[in-house]
Amino acid sequence: MEENSLCGMRPEDLDAFMDCGKSYKIIYDCKAGRKIFGEKDWGSKLSKEYIDSSVIAGRFYSRTVLNTDGVDIVLQGTWQDPKITINDISITVKGDYDGWLKLRPDGTVYYTEDLCCDFEPLDMDKVIYHQKKYFRVHFGENRVIVENSCCGDGSIYIDVDEIKP
């Protein structure tokens, strides 16, 4: 089960897991992992409503009590200068991309064409912060718009640190 996987375990529970008397197989194949777990670890998913649309627009719900900029973004699809806006804060990543972009709260941006390859860091000269800050998410509904999908499917995954007072 997913909740019993090694990556979801606390270190103090690992000994009990190893001594449970059952036989387990650890799989390193990323395609097998995606087949088992899918993209659940990437957070809330929003996709294009129509395949010929160039925009993703919608809302996602966050359970964080305090405002947080602990927001991980994964953008999937074919994009030309994608512009991501969350709650009126926008970031554009200059260039053409067919694969997966990952935006991290520390300001780094990564790209891969194939999920079985490592994400490679992008040159930060390609990243434009329109408001000089990173995305901020609050409790409840949050707005998201992603522009400049050139063709085919497109999705954004938003994973938020749930900060409590």
Side-chain angles (χ1 to χ4, degrees), residues 12-29:
E12 58 269 19
D13 294 335
L14 190 56
D15 288 334
F17 178 83
M18 299 305 287
D19 294 332
C20 68
K22 295 183 180 177
S23 175
Y24 290 91
K25 179 189 269 186
I26 297 175
I27 300 174
Y28 292 89
D29 183 349

Side-chain angles (χ1 to χ4, degrees), residues 42 71-84 91-104 108-115 118-124 126-127 134-135 146-149 155-158:
W42 290 357
V71 183
D72 285 299
I73 302 292
V74 174
L75 193 62
Q76 177 270 320
T78 305
W79 304 87
Q80 296 173 329
D81 300 332
K83 180 179 180 183
I84 304 164
I91 297 174
T92 298
V93 183
K94 299 301 266 178
D96 294 339
Y97 303 95
D98 185 9
W100 290 263
L101 283 165
K102 184 187 294 187
L103 288 80
R104 302 289 318 225
T108 54
V109 179
Y110 300 89
Y111 173 69
T112 186
E113 291 180 8
D114 185 339
L115 286 179
D118 290 335
F119 278 84
E120 298 290 332
L122 287 182
D123 181 349
M124 291 308 294
K126 295 183 175 194
V127 183
Y134 194 70
F135 305 117
V146 187
E147 303 171 67
N148 302 326
S149 171
S155 298
I156 183 170
Y157 300 83
I158 306 160

Side-chain angles (χ1 to χ4, degrees), residues 8-107:
M9 287 210 152
R10 297 182 316 215
E12 58 269 19
D13 294 335
L14 190 56
D15 288 334
F17 178 83
M18 299 305 287
D19 294 332
C20 68
K22 295 183 180 177
S23 175
Y24 290 91
K25 179 189 269 186
I26 297 175
I27 300 174
Y28 292 89
D29 183 349
C30 65
K31 288 182 183 175
R34 282 186 49 111
K35 185 176 180 182
I36 294 167
F37 299 118
E39 297 148 346
K40 293 178 185 177
D41 292 339
W42 290 357
S44 300
K45 178 182 179 181
L46 295 163
S47 297
K48 287 176 24 178
E49 189 170 341
Y50 302 104
I51 199 132
D52 59 347
S53 174
S54 65
V55 175
I56 298 171
R59 298 179 186 275
F60 66 97
Y61 187 85
S62 173
R63 295 181 301 166
T64 187
V65 175
L66 302 175
N67 287 346
T68 180
D69 57 3
V71 183
D72 285 299
I73 302 292
V74 174
L75 193 62
Q76 177 270 320
T78 305
W79 304 87
Q80 296 173 329
D81 300 332
K83 180 179 180 183
I84 304 164
T85 304
I86 297 177
N87 296 331
D88 301 322
I89 297 173
S90 299
I91 297 174
T92 298
V93 183
K94 299 301 266 178
D96 294 339
Y97 303 95
D98 185 9
W100 290 263
L101 283 165
K102 184 187 294 187
L103 288 80
R104 302 289 318 225
D106 65 4

